[in-house]
Amino acid sequence: MAEPPTGVPSGSAQAHGRRANRRSYHDGAQVNGYVDDPYHRVRRAVAARLVRAGVRGGGPVLELGCGPRGMLDPARLAGPLVLADMAETALGAARRAAAGRALPVCLDATRGLPFRAGSFAGLLTGELIEHVYDPVALLRECHRVLVPGGLLVLTTPNLATVQDRLAFLAGRAPRQVDPLHPYLWLHIRPFTASLLRRVLRRVGFEPVAIRSNHVGWRLPGGRWVTSRLLARVAPGLGGSLICAARRLPGPPSPAVPQRPNSA
């Protein structure tokens, strides 16, 4: 796929990324191909547990970017579940997987969320934030649609896994920024645990937990050696970051003004 021309407005770059993601994920086939892998199965289970344990009261929960198989079981939630995705085919599959017990909403998360302020007690978004051009704008919308004290749980690949940290010291790039990877090339905003906490605080959330799925090491033959124990002890070294954060009262911090480029 051709890169956007140099100097295009940010809106054009965001639209370019939106089209690329839609082409890759429109029917859910790619997601279905990996969600049963132990790496993603653990990630999804940890995220779902954080939602079930942390959402207060019986208010609605939104799963944003649910794909063809949502992470949440409606029967295990105290309140109603809303499933949201921009891909209609994938969204229909997620609704069928939920046996009709969830409300499907087709939306584009990069254009603002079509919900009133304070609509949800909890919001879960998995492997989405790294795909959007402006993650701060996305998180501001998550803040807006959550009630004060509402819970945000998000997952995103970790830029600073233990193996990638050592690889970077040797002059090799982390795999999350590999433009030749079959799907990681769509990850345009990678995060570390510390950066994720900093961004969340900037937009009015207080991180309350960081978890991970596995700390892994890829052997020369391609086989992965993984440890769940290390992921519990040092989640910042793991493959996926799973973060829970509370929406603080009041509006988020004002956006940082853009400074003009200087010669």
Side-chain angles (χ1 to χ4, degrees):
M1 182 175 182
E3 296 181 358
T6 304
V8 297
S10 63
S12 298
Q14 182 158 275
H16 183 87
R18 185 184 300 121
R19 290 192 298 269
N21 279 292
R22 184 177 283 117
R23 276 199 288 270
S24 291
Y25 299 109
H26 70 97
D27 61 356
Q30 190 169 129
V31 176
N32 276 329
Y34 68 70
V35 293
D36 287 326
D37 180 272
Y39 176 96
H40 290 285
R41 189 167 63 242
V42 172
R43 169 185 65 82
R44 290 160 61 89
V46 172
R49 281 200 300 270
L50 286 171
V51 171
R52 292 195 301 268
V55 171
R56 298 167 177 167
V61 174
L62 170 65
E63 184 170 346
L64 185 61
C66 62
R69 296 164 66 182
M71 289 184 273
L72 297 173
D73 180 355
R76 303 187 69 182
L77 297 175
L81 174 64
V82 176
L83 297 171
D85 202 280
M86 72 173 180
E88 292 185 21
T89 302
L91 184 61
R95 182 179 182 277
R96 290 190 294 273
R101 294 174 295 175
L103 173 67
V105 177
C106 189
L107 57 79
D108 181 348
T110 67
R111 297 181 186 274
L113 303 179
F115 305 110
R116 295 177 181 173
S119 293
F120 298 99
L123 193 158
L124 171 61
T125 178
E127 312 299 274
L128 174 64
I129 193 171
E130 69 276 7
H131 287 269
V132 301
Y133 182 84
D134 190 349
V136 172
L138 172 62
L139 290 174
R140 286 179 181 278
E141 277 294 281
C142 293
H143 183 281
R144 183 184 65 81
V145 302
L146 280 168
V147 298
L151 185 75
L152 170 67
V153 175
L154 66 84
T155 81
T156 188
N158 184 13
L159 178 64
T161 66
V162 62
Q163 191 166 27
D164 281 332
R165 292 183 190 215
L166 296 176
F168 193 74
L169 290 175
R172 297 194 299 273
R175 64 193 296 268
Q176 291 300 329
V177 295
D178 181 0
L180 302 178
H181 192 279
Y183 59 86
L184 295 182
W185 70 278
L186 289 167
H187 293 186
I188 60 176
R189 289 289 184 264
F191 287 87
T192 63
S194 60
L195 177 59
L196 189 58
R197 290 189 189 98
R198 185 157 59 93
V199 172
L200 285 165
R201 290 190 175 107
R202 172 64 62 87
V203 299
F205 286 96
E206 181 56 38
V208 295
I210 290 278
R211 303 283 187 266
S212 188
N213 48 356
H214 298 294
V215 171
W217 191 274
R218 189 174 185 176
L219 300 176
R223 178 170 166 266
W224 282 91
V225 176
T226 62
S227 170
R228 286 284 297 125
L229 177 60
L230 283 175
R232 295 187 185 98
V233 174
L237 299 178
S240 186
L241 300 173
I242 307 157
C243 181
R246 290 276 174 207
R247 184 226 195 260
L248 296 175
S253 302
V256 178
Q258 296 295 318
R259 296 181 179 177
N261 293 327
S262 57

